[in-house]
Amino acid sequence: MPISVDIDVMLARRKMSVGELADRVGITPANLAVLKNGRAKAVRFATLAALCEALECQPGDLLRWEAEAEAAPVAEGAVGA
Protein backbone atom coordinates (compact mmCIF):
# COMPACT_ATOMS: atom_id res chain seq x y z
CA MET A 1 0.00 0.00 0.00
CA PRO A 2 1.36 3.43 -0.87
CA ILE A 3 0.27 5.00 2.45
CA SER A 4 2.82 4.64 5.25
CA VAL A 5 1.97 5.16 8.91
CA ASP A 6 4.53 6.89 11.14
CA ILE A 7 2.80 6.64 14.52
CA ASP A 8 5.86 4.87 15.94
CA VAL A 9 8.03 7.87 14.99
CA MET A 10 5.73 10.27 16.83
CA LEU A 11 5.51 7.92 19.82
CA ALA A 12 9.30 7.93 20.08
CA ARG A 13 9.46 11.73 19.75
CA ARG A 14 6.88 12.14 22.50
CA LYS A 15 8.41 9.38 24.66
CA MET A 16 4.97 7.75 24.88
CA SER A 17 4.02 4.08 24.96
CA VAL A 18 1.45 2.42 22.72
CA GLY A 19 -0.67 1.69 25.79
CA GLU A 20 -0.61 5.30 26.95
CA LEU A 21 -1.56 6.57 23.48
CA ALA A 22 -4.36 4.01 23.21
CA ASP A 23 -5.75 5.18 26.58
CA ARG A 24 -5.59 8.84 25.54
CA VAL A 25 -7.26 8.17 22.18
CA GLY A 26 -9.85 5.73 23.51
CA ILE A 27 -9.01 2.71 21.36
CA THR A 28 -7.59 -0.67 22.28
CA PRO A 29 -3.84 -1.24 22.11
CA ALA A 30 -4.56 -4.04 19.61
CA ASN A 31 -6.42 -1.69 17.26
CA LEU A 32 -3.69 0.91 17.63
CA ALA A 33 -1.11 -1.75 16.74
CA VAL A 34 -3.07 -2.64 13.59
CA LEU A 35 -3.00 1.02 12.56
CA LYS A 36 0.61 1.55 13.62
CA ASN A 37 1.85 -1.46 11.67
CA GLY A 38 0.10 -0.38 8.47
CA ARG A 39 -2.41 -3.24 8.44
CA ALA A 40 -5.51 -1.02 8.77
CA LYS A 41 -7.66 -0.58 5.69
CA ALA A 42 -9.24 2.64 6.96
CA VAL A 43 -9.06 5.15 9.77
CA ARG A 44 -11.90 7.35 11.00
CA PHE A 45 -11.29 11.08 10.98
CA ALA A 46 -12.35 11.17 14.63
CA THR A 47 -9.60 8.65 15.46
CA LEU A 48 -7.06 10.56 13.38
CA ALA A 49 -8.04 13.79 15.13
CA ALA A 50 -7.70 12.13 18.55
CA LEU A 51 -4.26 10.78 17.60
CA CYS A 52 -3.16 14.23 16.47
CA GLU A 53 -4.46 15.82 19.66
CA ALA A 54 -2.75 13.25 21.91
CA LEU A 55 0.54 13.45 19.99
CA GLU A 56 0.33 17.22 19.37
CA CYS A 57 0.93 16.82 15.64
CA GLN A 58 -0.66 17.16 12.23
CA PRO A 59 -2.16 14.28 10.17
CA GLY A 60 0.78 14.57 7.77
CA ASP A 61 3.11 13.71 10.65
CA LEU A 62 1.34 10.36 10.99
CA LEU A 63 0.52 9.45 7.38
CA ARG A 64 2.53 9.80 4.19
CA TRP A 65 2.22 8.67 0.62
CA GLU A 66 5.00 6.66 -1.02
CA ALA A 67 5.03 5.70 -4.68
CA GLU A 68 4.70 1.97 -5.23
CA ALA A 69 7.41 0.17 -7.17
CA GLU A 70 6.98 0.79 -10.87
CA ALA A 71 4.76 -1.66 -12.74
CA ALA A 72 6.17 -3.78 -15.55
CA PRO A 73 7.90 -1.60 -18.16
CA VAL A 74 5.93 -0.65 -21.28
CA ALA A 75 6.74 -2.98 -24.19
CA GLU A 76 8.94 -1.59 -26.95
CA GLY A 77 7.01 0.27 -29.57
CA ALA A 78 3.92 0.57 -27.40
CA VAL A 79 2.41 3.98 -26.89
CA GLY A 80 2.56 5.13 -23.26
CA ALA A 81 -0.62 5.96 -21.40
Side-chain angles (χ1 to χ4, degrees):
M1 171 159 314
I3 301 296
S4 295
V5 182
D6 291 329
I7 292 175
D8 53 347
V9 173
M10 292 306 297
L11 282 170
R13 287 183 183 167
R14 302 297 187 250
K15 295 179 175 60
M16 189 182 300
S17 70
V18 171
E20 181 181 352
L21 180 59
D23 285 344
R24 288 184 183 196
V25 173
I27 61 176
T28 66
N31 283 340
L32 182 56
V34 167
L35 180 59
K36 184 174 86 68
N37 294 324
R39 295 189 316 262
K41 298 294 180 195
V43 61
R44 292 185 174 151
F45 282 154
T47 302
L48 184 58
L51 287 166
C52 290
E53 183 177 355
L55 293 168
E56 298 178 358
C57 67
Q58 294 295 313
D61 296 326
L62 302 177
L63 304 172
R64 71 187 145 81
W65 177 82
E66 291 182 342
E68 291 190 48
E70 287 189 30
V74 178
E76 277 187 46
V79 176

